[in-house]
Amino acid sequence: MEQFHINLANWEKNREDERRKLLMEEAELKQKGGVWTTVNKHRNKLVEKWISRKKNENIEPGVGKWVSYLNREKKLDSLVGRRPVAPPAPKGLYLYGNVGSGKTMLMDMFYSATEGIVKHRRRFHFHEAMLEIHEHMHKIWKNQVEEKSLQSGISSWIMNLPFDNKVKQWLAAEERYMQEVQMKNILPTVADKFLVDRQMNQRGASILCFDEIQTVDVFAIVALSGILSRLLSTGTVLVATSNRAPQDLNQDGMQREIFLKFVAKLEQHCQIVAVGSEIDYRRYIAKRSIDQWPLSDSKPHSHACQPEILPLCLVHYFWPLDSHAVKEFDKIWCKIINKSGGRISATTIPVMFGRTLEVPESCNGVARFTFEYLCGRPVGAADYIAIAKNYHTVFISDIPVMSMRIRDKARRFITLIDELYNHHCCLFCTVASSIDDIFQGTDEGTLFDLESFQFETEIEGTRLRRDVLAKGSVGSGGSPAGIASLLSGQEEMFAFRRAVSRLIEMQTPLYLEGVCSLHPFFRNQHKELSSDRRCSLQPQS
């Protein structure tokens, strides 16, 4: 794969060089043709009249450019050759099964085992992947739409050429048309950028680990189909998890033709494996920890790597919302802050798409929020990813019981828990009920459609996604009845069962022991220490 990407980079460079040569040759012919224009002006008028009579009045604008673009591409194929073909890749793996059956754990074990062996690799959760796809598309569109950036790109090599203005305008128009054609095929372009290592500026991840594949809407189906199909066709090995088998991902039939091609691609390039256990191992581990803890004579132990994280035996989930719970919650907050440096401050952290998020209280990797601040405002997955990456320990107070009355907040809360769990954060919280009852509120009815709206980053007023689809505000290939059946029942059960399961695991010693080695805050510290050590070992010049 490394050699393939070297060949691909050389091919792209040679193709671009040859394309510009062809454009220069055409421009020179147009420049020479302009000298004879005045001499032949009167003679050409008769010819032009005759040609205009022969032209079909129904020809679409831009057909001439399309033909010249295709001719140029054919010439380039003969000069440079076709795009290099990736070497045959081993089959990937698609794991699906119930909540807590160990899918993500197995995938993460595999991903960890590839460190130092596979040079280019990436791991994404669904939220993060879709946001990155949006970000790449946004950047590409922005570069195309903004006239200034377009003009600066053209002037760098066209405006200084020894041609008259008409020829330069023709060159600029040809460049613009090529960019428009690329825009119509944006997903392959996004796919090519999707696995670029931003820090090293290297491309060509050989392995993509993708947690919780979902097809929750039309965009997800189209984007995942286009991007994953491109990656699988160019040698990337996919290891993915989901709660559903590939053919069951899209039960309402949205964009069925595209979806079926996507499923065929998955089945061609991945071994489909059902993780058939009915046991929720998160609950099992939590119960075993509770049973074993009183038998242990050992004293509570702290993380060796970071003193500000509390002993594993301390309570992290405080309920119900009474004065005793609040007092204990505040006591732990003060203890951790004192060990973290004791200076609480408000700060601002960057979020994707150039946005920022205010953090009211934070101190050296520890932050505190209220439920309303995180889930009662128009924030979403991008904000929660930023919090999870920046803070290894997160305090959230005043979490209510979820019901239909606060369904949009429940959706955000599930997304928040997903990201805190995915980034291996330590969570302390005060809650109105036990973990098992947190989604069982009856105010205005019990919750529905959690699986459908948990991945949204914005809400449609106060309407459920199902209602929006049924009213025709969002396009879909399926009927409202089919969508309604999809978004209730089994999907709803899976959504809150997963959140409950993760909340339980996040209280266990096994999970908490991993915070100091798995959270990005500490991983970055380890990298910096390793880098400093390497620098100190280098001989002084």
Side-chain angles (χ1 to χ4, degrees), residues 80-125:
V80 185
R82 294 293 183 108
R83 180 187 175 97
V85 177
K91 270 199 170 188
L93 198 62
Y94 181 102
L95 302 173
Y96 71 97
N98 293 322
V99 167
S101 58
K103 306 181 296 295
T104 300
M105 184 193 73
L106 288 169
M107 185 191 75
D108 286 343
M109 286 173 66
F110 167 74
Y111 186 73
S112 297
T114 62
E115 187 170 3
I117 299 171
V118 178
K119 189 173 181 180
H120 303 304
R121 63 203 180 104
R122 294 292 297 275
R123 183 205 185 280
F124 287 101
H125 181 266

Side-chain angles (χ1 to χ4, degrees), residues 51-320:
I51 290 172
S52 64
R53 290 195 195 107
K54 298 290 182 182
K55 279 184 179 177
N56 188 339
E57 293 179 0
N58 295 323
I59 291 178
E60 292 182 33
V63 168
K65 287 181 182 176
W66 173 241
V67 171
S68 65
Y69 172 79
L70 287 179
N71 289 335
R72 204 174 295 124
E73 289 296 303
K74 286 181 180 179
K75 286 181 183 178
L76 288 172
D77 286 341
S78 63
L79 288 169
V80 185
R82 294 293 183 108
R83 180 187 175 97
V85 177
K91 270 199 170 188
L93 198 62
Y94 181 102
L95 302 173
Y96 71 97
N98 293 322
V99 167
S101 58
K103 306 181 296 295
T104 300
M105 184 193 73
L106 288 169
M107 185 191 75
D108 286 343
M109 286 173 66
F110 167 74
Y111 186 73
S112 297
T114 62
E115 187 170 3
I117 299 171
V118 178
K119 189 173 181 180
H120 303 304
R121 63 203 180 104
R122 294 292 297 275
R123 183 205 185 280
F124 287 101
H125 181 266
F126 179 85
H127 299 314
E128 192 176 12
M130 299 310 290
L131 286 167
E132 187 152 324
I133 289 168
H134 274 292
E135 186 181 34
H136 285 309
M137 294 178 78
H138 175 72
K139 284 181 179 178
I140 293 170
W141 277 324
K142 187 178 180 182
N143 290 338
Q144 298 300 320
V145 170
E146 287 184 356
E147 193 66 22
K148 289 182 180 179
S149 64
L150 183 63
Q151 286 299 328
S152 63
I154 291 171
S155 62
S156 64
W157 74 280
I158 291 178
M159 293 308 169
N160 295 325
L161 293 173
F163 300 126
D164 60 36
N165 284 333
K166 284 188 177 180
V167 176
K168 289 179 182 178
Q169 287 172 8
W170 173 82
L171 277 170
E174 292 296 312
E175 284 288 275
R176 191 176 294 111
Y177 186 77
M178 182 196 70
Q179 292 167 348
E180 289 171 1
V181 171
Q182 290 175 347
M183 282 296 294
K184 291 176 182 177
N185 298 283
I186 192 171
L187 289 178
T189 306
V190 172
D192 291 342
K193 294 178 179 294
F194 192 58
L195 293 182
V196 171
D197 187 325
R198 294 187 180 186
Q199 291 181 340
M200 303 295 292
N201 198 26
Q202 292 176 328
R203 59 190 290 175
S206 300
I207 290 176
L208 169 63
C209 288
F210 200 122
D211 194 23
E212 286 191 56
I213 283 187
Q214 298 279 339
T215 55
V216 294
D217 56 23
V218 174
F219 176 79
I221 291 171
V222 174
L224 287 177
S225 177
I227 289 170
L228 290 183
S229 295
R230 172 78 163 196
L231 294 173
L232 290 171
S233 299
T234 53
T236 298
V237 178
L238 175 69
V239 178
T241 72
S242 180
N243 65 305
R244 292 184 178 278
Q247 65 271 19
D248 296 330
L249 284 169
N250 180 28
Q251 293 188 347
D252 71 321
M254 292 185 288
Q255 297 293 328
R256 184 167 178 76
E257 186 177 346
I258 293 174
F259 172 74
L260 290 176
K261 289 180 180 178
F262 171 55
V263 170
K265 203 75 169 177
L266 276 178
E267 291 176 343
Q268 178 188 350
H269 290 274
C270 295
Q271 184 179 352
I272 314 299
V273 177
V275 181
S277 176
E278 295 296 325
I279 299 171
D280 183 344
Y281 284 102
R282 296 190 185 103
R283 286 180 178 273
Y284 177 80
I285 291 168
K287 185 177 184 303
R288 189 176 63 180
S289 300
I290 292 169
D291 292 341
Q292 290 178 352
W293 189 260
L295 301 176
S296 174
D297 294 328
S298 61
K299 294 180 180 179
H301 58 286
S302 300
H303 289 283
C305 65
Q306 193 74 9
E308 64 263 27
I309 292 192
L310 281 182
L312 304 182
C313 63
L314 286 175
V315 176
H316 288 64
Y317 187 99
F318 297 90
W319 71 281

Side-chain angles (χ1 to χ4, degrees), residues 329 358-361 367-377 379 384 387 394-400 413 416 428-430:
F329 182 75
E358 296 291 329
V359 180
E361 296 179 274
R368 180 169 176 168
F369 306 90
T370 65
F371 173 83
E372 280 298 318
Y373 189 82
L374 290 179
C375 302
R377 305 185 305 134
V379 294
Y384 302 146
I387 291 170
V394 177
F395 284 72
I396 305 173
S397 61
D398 304 316
I399 300 172
F413 180 69
L416 171 61
F428 290 90
C429 54
T430 59

Side-chain angles (χ1 to χ4, degrees), residues 18-26 72 75-76:
E18 290 296 333
R19 188 185 69 82
R20 291 197 177 186
K21 283 181 186 178
L22 289 177
L23 278 172
M24 291 288 286
E25 289 173 6
E26 292 178 47
R72 204 174 295 124
K75 286 181 183 178
L76 288 172

